[in-house]
């Protein structure tokens, strides 16, 4: 964040959560869940730029930091990850795990937040709006969410 501020560049934060992950674990056990988490990790490694940072945030949640990525580029990358994940799960599981999809929320410094905690909170707000809107989507934090309208 300090580097983005110093350089006058954006920093996009993507918060990802796997939809219906508990049901996957309940039906196929933790081995099935671990396999899907590994697929997502491999996909993130393949889809992100060398300077991007992906971390497991907890359980089935991941955070992706995209330094210098403006909202349009970060959203395009997030949508690409979401659609590729859906296809990967269907193909790799031979259609056994079709209910597992990916929801994500995107927030960008400095447009949405000026501190790390605030940026994470904004991305989390967008993520939960994506969940409420039906899952399997990426939403960008914006003025409507900031006003509590989403």
């Amino acid at each position: 964040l300090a580097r983005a501020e110093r350089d006058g560049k954006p920093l996009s934060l993507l918060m990802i959560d796997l939809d219906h992950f508990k049901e996957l674990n309940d039906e196929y056990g933790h081995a099935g869940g671990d396999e899907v988490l590994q697929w997502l990790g491999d996909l993130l490694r393949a889809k992100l730029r060398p300077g991007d940072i992906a971390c497991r945030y907890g359980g089935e949640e991941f955070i992706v930091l995209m330094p210098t990525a403006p909202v349009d580029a970060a959203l395009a990358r997030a949508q690409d990850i979401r659609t590729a994940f859906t296809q990967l799960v269907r193909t790799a599981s031979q259609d056994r795990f079709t209910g597992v999809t990916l929801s994500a929320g995107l927030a960008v410094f400095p447009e949405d937040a000026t501190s790390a905690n605030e940026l994470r909170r904004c991305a989390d707000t967008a993520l939960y709006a994506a969940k409420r809107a039906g899952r399997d989507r990426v939403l960008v934090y914006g003025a409507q969410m900031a006003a509590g309208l989403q």
Side-chain angles (χ1 to χ4, degrees):
L1 201 59
R3 182 177 296 156
E5 186 171 22
R6 182 184 68 233
D7 296 344
K9 304 278 185 179
L11 173 66
S12 292
L13 187 148
L14 181 67
M15 186 167 277
I16 297 170
D17 187 71
L18 298 184
D19 303 319
H20 307 293
F21 190 75
K22 182 185 179 325
E23 290 87 347
L24 170 76
N25 272 338
D26 289 348
E27 187 167 344
Y28 295 99
H30 290 289
D34 289 348
E35 190 172 14
V36 171
L37 291 172
Q38 182 65 48
W39 294 340
L40 178 57
D42 291 344
L43 179 66
L44 290 173
R45 196 174 299 112
K47 292 285 185 183
L48 296 175
R49 302 172 302 172
D52 294 343
I53 301 164
C55 305
R56 188 169 175 193
Y57 189 63
E60 68 277 6
E61 279 191 322
F62 289 76
I63 285 183
V64 177
L65 293 171
M66 295 176 268
T68 73
V71 67
D72 295 350
L75 179 59
R77 194 168 303 121
Q79 293 287 19
D80 183 42
I81 290 166
R82 186 190 61 77
T83 56
F85 179 74
T86 299
Q87 184 59 43
L88 175 64
V89 168
R90 287 192 173 132
T91 303
S93 74
Q94 299 172 338
D95 286 325
R96 290 179 301 146
F97 305 156
T98 55
V100 179
T101 56
L102 180 155
S103 294
L106 178 65
V108 181
F109 167 87
E111 294 90 339
D112 300 321
T114 57
S115 74
N117 283 336
E118 189 181 4
L119 188 62
R120 186 205 46 79
R121 184 190 55 74
C122 290
D124 196 47
T125 297
L127 167 63
Y128 281 96
K131 294 274 195 187
R132 284 191 306 275
R135 296 183 166 95
D136 193 22
R137 68 194 67 227
V138 179
L139 290 183
V140 177
Y141 185 84
Q144 285 185 322
M145 285 184 208
L149 303 173
Q150 196 68 315

